[in-house]
Amino acid sequence: MNTTPSIPLQPGDALLVVDLQRDFLPGGALGVPGGDEVVPVLNHCLALFERAHLPVVLTRDWHPGDHVSFAAQGGPWPPHCVAGTPGAAFAPDLAVPDAAQVVSKATLSQADAYSGFEGTALADSLRQRHARRLFIGGLATDYCVQATVLDALREGFEVVLLRDAVRAVDVTPGDGERALGAMQAAGAVVASHSQLGAPAG
């Protein structure tokens, strides 16, 4: 596995938390098994980035009620993360910093968007904040995390996937592991949150 023994944070780093919303937690409308387990891991990362004064971005599904991904419209999923509903809120125990940027995606009825970069200004916003390396965690490994990581790499960012800060849907058993392999093959580094350190100096 492509891991790094220790990763000190540095200027140009940013944390990207993908879709850590109530509907994706166990018991939610589209619950990801073990999805709640990533919350304390990402809280640790959020605190680390906040102390280092580095950018933090949270993406969220923010669907209209008739979104194309919903089963009633012929899509694969039950209704979830409908804009403004309790299920679309961030995980209740997630310690979202006041300065965090929130990016809403998949906001149009007829356009799906698994990636935080699709149909948003996320790439430009990160560049304006001088981000070059993204640390990514959230839900779910085999859908929105994978799509976001692959788009980040295509946009020219370095990516560190926080392996212990993601969980998979695994509609087909092994989807999560296959997604990890695809992200590594595309150039993502896989690391644990415990490998992150305070900025050097």
Side-chain angles (χ1 to χ4, degrees):
M1 184 177 287
N2 186 16
T3 58
T4 306
S6 180
I7 308 176
L9 299 181
Q10 60 193 26
D13 289 342
L15 178 64
L16 183 53
V17 177
V18 177
D19 297 6
L20 197 48
Q21 295 167 268
R22 286 176 182 261
D23 272 346
F24 294 133
L25 300 180
L30 187 50
V32 177
D36 53 333
E37 296 168 1
V38 308
V39 174
V41 176
L42 284 167
N43 278 343
H44 173 89
C45 298
L46 286 162
L48 193 62
F49 275 74
E50 192 173 23
R51 285 197 302 271
H53 305 291
L54 293 169
V56 170
V57 180
L58 293 90
T59 68
R60 63 182 181 183
D61 272 355
W62 202 243
H63 296 314
D66 59 348
H67 192 250
V68 67
S69 72
F70 296 169
Q73 277 67 48
W77 307 118
H80 62 277
C81 298
V82 173
T85 64
F90 291 119
D93 295 330
L94 188 65
V96 179
D98 291 339
Q101 177 187 2
V102 175
V103 173
S104 300
K105 63 186 179 67
T107 60
L108 303 175
S109 295
Q110 295 304 314
D112 207 354
Y114 288 106
S115 167
F117 291 91
E118 188 172 347
T120 73
L122 177 56
D124 288 340
S125 173
L126 287 167
R127 291 190 186 101
Q128 288 167 9
R129 300 175 78 180
H130 310 292
R132 295 182 298 276
R133 181 172 63 170
L134 308 182
F135 292 78
I136 298 179
L139 303 174
T141 313
D142 37 352
Y143 288 94
C144 295
V145 170
Q146 177 177 225
T148 299
V149 165
L150 295 179
D151 273 358
L153 292 164
R154 280 190 283 266
E155 290 285 351
F157 296 100
E158 297 175 49
V159 173
V160 179
L161 178 70
L162 298 169
R163 176 68 180 88
D164 51 350
V166 296
R167 294 293 185 275
V169 179
D170 274 338
V171 171
T172 301
D175 279 352
E177 289 302 317
R178 283 186 286 273
L180 285 170
M183 289 184 275
Q184 285 183 277
V189 171
V190 175
S192 163
H193 85 283
S194 61
Q195 293 173 244
L196 307 188

